[in-house]
């Protein structure tokens, strides 16, 4: 084998450093030789280079590149090197001849093999979080519920603490004083690290963690403290969780986003939007009345300024509408961003979740805001003022489509297996 011939193809836009791509090409070659033998080593050199280049051209990020390469190597081993059965980023490497299975690639105008619904579902299932990932990211899982129920058999019921920390100014206060007027001074935006100045800054006002001005304590003032309970034991005391495993229904894919506000019971859902992944059709989009008495609708972010019986439905009515055979059920794949927050305020336990905040972790393992991902990955600007759960749900859905190289405007799908 000529060592110089086994190197990656030069690309204008590379998803990974040359040295990393070089190692991948050699890794692919080694696997092909093990699977197919050394008799046609030159053929395996060309194939290894071609496979790596194909993945590199499709990948928009280093994370996407590594993920797709790992899936490719897995499938090479699974199919014993048979490239006729290999799917790269959801697209068969060797296109079929069935005309009904072909669509136009909106980016290049070239014809590519259409992945039917079953193919897409297979790819989406690869992105579903496992139970450990869910637990690490504050999702309420079936295992946690079972452990909690088991503990209650031997101990007295856990009481909610009388005192809580204000979610904004972090001052401790009595739950029973939630309606008492105070001066809660806080920053509405989370501080972010400025790598150039090497300090933390608040985007809302520009104050820094090293500031000595009175504004460093906060640039906004509210007349009530607010709080946000977390964890199954506390949240389930407000309203019970529903396990979707008990809800029969069709396999579907739904993108979800909620807007939340503060009430006398904590942090509750005040709007819910659900979008169908394949058709982009709005399945549900309604303002919802929380269980507790409203303290702050968080209008700056929620975009909700008033909730009354004329423009909303109750929390109980929401559950009746969204749970069912054609809506959220045990076979649904649900997509969200920072999705544990949405599921927790809806009070759902579901085990088929895709979370774009985890899919697109930065190199330092920190999560990225949906607003930033929308601009980086889709070239769109969102959340420039008030948030809109419909726009956020569509954006989250489009991030997954972009990751899988699915045309964002595609709405007609081949339902064949």
């Amino acid at each position: 084998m000529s060592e110089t011939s086994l190197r990656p193809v030069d690309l204008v836009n590379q998803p990974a450093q040359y040295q990393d791509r070089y190692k991948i090409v050699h890794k692919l070659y080694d696997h092909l030789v093990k699977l197919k033998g050394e008799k046609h080593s030159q053929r395996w050199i060309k194939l290894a280079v071609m496979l790596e280049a194909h993945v590199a051209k499709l990948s928009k990020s280093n994370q996407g590149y590594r993920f797709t390469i790992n899936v490719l190597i897995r499938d090479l081993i699974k199919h014993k090197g048979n490239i006729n059965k290999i799917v790269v980023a959801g697209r068969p490497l060797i296109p079929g001849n069935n005309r009904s299975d072909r669509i136009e690639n909106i980016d290049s105008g070239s014809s590519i093999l259409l992945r039917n619904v079953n193919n897409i579902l297979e790819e989406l299932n690869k992105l579903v979080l496992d139970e450990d990932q869910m637990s690490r990211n504050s999702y309420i899982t079936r295992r946690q519920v079972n452990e909690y129920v088991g503990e209650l058999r031997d101990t007295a019921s856990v009481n909610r603490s009388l005192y809580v920390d204000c979610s904004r100014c972090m001052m401790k206060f009595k739950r029973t004083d939630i309606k008492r007027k105070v001066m809660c001074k806080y920053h509405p935006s989370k501080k972010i690290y400025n790598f150039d100045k090497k300090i933390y800054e608040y985007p809302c006002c520009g104050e820094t963690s090293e500031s000595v001005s009175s504004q460093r304590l906060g640039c906004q003032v509210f007349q009530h403290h607010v709080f946000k309970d977390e964890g199954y034991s506390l949240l389930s005391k407000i309203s019970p969780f529903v396990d979707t495993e008990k809800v029969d229904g069709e396999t579907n894919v739904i993108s979800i986003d909620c807007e939340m506000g503060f009430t006398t019971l904590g942090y509750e859902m005040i709007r819910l939007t659900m979008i169908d992944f394949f058709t982009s059709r709005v399945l549900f989009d309604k303002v919802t009345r929380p269980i507790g008495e409203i303290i702050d609708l968080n209008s700056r972010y929620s975009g909700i300024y008033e909730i009354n019986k004329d423009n909303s439905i109750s929390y109980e009515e929401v559950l009746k509408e969204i749970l069912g055979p054609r809506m959220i059920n045990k076979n649904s794949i649900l997509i969200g961003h920072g999705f544990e927050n949405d599921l927790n305020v809806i009070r759902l336990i579901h085990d088929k979740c895709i979370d774009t905040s985890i899919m697109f972790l930065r190199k330092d393992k920190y999560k990225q805001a949906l607003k930033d991902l929308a601009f980086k990955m889709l070239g769109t600007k969102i959340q420039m003022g008030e948030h809109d759960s419909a726009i956020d749900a569509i954006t989250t859905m489009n991030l997954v489509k972009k990751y899988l190289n699915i045309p964002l405007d595609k709405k007609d799908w081949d339902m064949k297996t």
Side-chain angles (χ1 to χ4, degrees):
M1 178 186 71
S2 171
E3 192 70 25
T4 57
S5 64
L6 192 56
R7 62 180 183 81
V9 174
D10 292 325
L11 299 174
V12 176
N13 298 311
Q14 299 196 90
Q17 293 183 356
Y18 182 88
Q19 191 59 33
D20 292 332
R21 293 184 60 209
Y22 181 88
K23 291 177 181 178
I24 291 297
V25 170
H26 280 256
K27 189 174 183 179
L28 285 168
Y29 172 80
D30 290 341
H31 278 291
L32 286 167
V33 169
K34 287 179 182 178
L35 292 165
K36 311 293 282 186
E38 296 185 1
K39 184 177 180 181
H40 302 289
S41 60
Q42 282 300 124
R43 182 185 298 177
W44 310 145
I45 290 173
K46 292 180 181 179
L47 183 56
V49 172
M50 183 274 289
L51 288 172
E52 191 280 334
H54 187 62
V55 172
K57 290 174 183 177
L58 289 174
S59 302
K60 306 299 182 183
S61 66
N62 183 277
Q63 182 185 8
Y65 171 77
R66 291 183 177 280
F67 175 86
T68 308
I69 282 292
N70 287 334
V71 172
L72 170 61
I73 291 174
R74 181 203 67 189
D75 289 346
L76 271 175
I77 296 171
K78 176 181 176 181
H79 299 298
K80 298 180 181 180
N82 184 352
I83 62 172
N84 291 298
K85 296 183 178 181
I86 300 298
V87 174
V88 177
R91 304 174 185 174
L93 196 63
I94 307 300
N97 296 317
N98 188 340
R99 187 173 179 178
S100 66
D101 284 345
R102 302 179 74 82
I103 59 173
E104 289 299 308
N105 184 319
I106 60 172
D107 294 324
S108 65
S110 61
S111 183
I112 61 173
L113 187 70
L114 169 64
R115 294 161 292 171
N116 62 32
V117 169
N118 286 333
N119 296 143
I120 294 295
L121 290 173
E122 184 179 344
E123 293 302 311
L124 289 169
N125 274 304
K126 295 174 185 177
L127 302 177
V128 167
L129 301 173
D130 61 38
E131 192 167 30
D132 287 336
Q133 287 177 306
M134 296 180 79
S135 294
R136 289 196 302 270
N137 287 278
S138 302
Y139 284 80
I140 304 299
T141 66
R142 220 163 273 133
R143 181 173 64 191
Q144 290 175 347
V145 174
N146 291 335
E147 289 174 352
Y148 175 74
V149 172
E151 290 173 2
L152 288 184
R153 292 195 187 101
D154 305 316
T155 62
S157 178
V158 178
N159 293 317
R160 299 171 81 200
S161 171
L162 178 61
Y163 289 90
V164 289
D165 292 329
C166 176
S167 298
R168 288 171 168 167
C169 71
M170 302 310 295
M171 183 176 290
K172 194 174 288 294
F173 71 101
K174 281 186 178 181
R175 290 176 185 269
T176 51
D177 289 341
I178 185 71
K179 296 170 68 175
R180 179 183 174 188
K181 289 188 177 182
V182 296
M183 181 179 286
C184 178
K185 198 170 186 180
Y186 68 100
H187 290 287
S189 300
K190 293 180 180 179
K191 63 183 178 182
I192 59 175
Y193 190 71
N194 186 315
F195 287 93
D196 294 326
K197 298 179 182 178
K198 301 194 182 310
I199 55 174
Y200 283 95
E201 294 180 331
Y202 291 97
C204 49
C205 62
E207 284 294 303
T208 71
S209 54
E210 297 181 356
S211 172
V212 294
S213 74
S214 60
Q215 191 156 292
R216 70 183 174 84
L217 298 176
C219 59
Q220 297 288 321
V221 176
F222 191 64
Q223 62 184 3
H224 297 282
H225 289 310
V226 294
F227 69 94
K228 177 182 177 182
D229 277 335
E230 295 180 342
Y232 176 79
S233 62
L234 292 177
L235 294 177
S236 60
K237 289 181 183 299
I238 301 169
S239 55
F241 278 79
V242 176
D243 190 340
T244 58
E245 187 64 27
K246 301 173 183 177
V247 183
D248 292 324
E250 303 173 353
T251 298
N252 54 17
V253 186
I254 303 172
S255 184
I256 295 176
D257 190 78
C258 294
E259 301 298 347
M260 295 86 151
F262 291 101
T263 76
T264 51
L265 295 178
Y267 202 46
E268 294 193 67
M269 174 177 64
I270 56 176
R271 181 184 174 187
L272 170 64
T273 304
M274 296 168 35
I275 308 291
D276 180 75
F277 182 85
F278 291 104
T279 65
S280 298
R281 183 168 60 90
V282 177
L283 301 175
F284 185 94
D285 185 19
K286 294 183 181 180
V287 173
T288 66
R289 295 193 297 275
I291 299 171
E293 185 178 341
I294 295 169
I295 298 297
D296 183 13
L297 289 174
N298 216 18
S299 302
R300 173 179 178 141
Y301 295 109
S302 69
I304 306 296
Y305 287 85
E306 182 184 19
I307 297 180
N308 55 54
K309 288 190 176 182
D310 294 331
N311 71 350
S312 64
I313 65 174
S314 70
Y315 170 75
E316 292 77 12
E317 290 172 321
V318 170
L319 292 184
K320 287 180 181 178
E321 288 197 34
I322 68 171
L323 296 173
R326 295 181 179 275
M327 298 288 269
I328 298 176
N329 61 76
K330 65 181 181 181
N331 295 311
S332 300
I333 296 177
L334 304 182
I335 300 172
H337 185 88
F339 199 31
E340 74 281 2
N341 296 307
D342 303 274
L343 291 185
N344 288 351
V345 295
I346 304 172
R347 300 291 195 272
L348 288 187
I349 297 172
H350 191 73
D351 59 2
K352 292 179 180 147
C353 300
I354 296 174
D355 192 330
T356 51
S357 73
I358 299 173
M359 274 180 62
F360 296 99
L361 288 176
R362 294 188 328 197
K363 291 182 180 179
D364 58 8
K365 303 302 181 184
Y366 279 92
K367 295 178 180 179
Q368 302 185 69
L370 182 61
K371 177 179 179 179
D372 296 334
L373 283 173
F375 186 72
K376 291 177 186 177
M377 303 294 293
L378 304 172
T380 57
K381 293 183 179 180
I382 64 170
Q383 301 177 353
M384 302 303 289
E386 299 167 359
H387 293 200
D388 185 322
S389 57
I391 292 175
D392 290 353
I394 292 170
T395 300
T396 304
M397 174 185 72
N398 284 343
L399 284 172
V400 176
K401 288 184 177 180
K402 186 75 173 180
Y403 186 84
L404 296 176
N405 293 295
I406 299 172
L408 302 186
D409 63 350
K410 181 167 179 56
K411 296 180 175 64
D412 298 319
W413 294 89
D414 183 357
M415 302 302 292
K416 295 182 298 182
T417 304

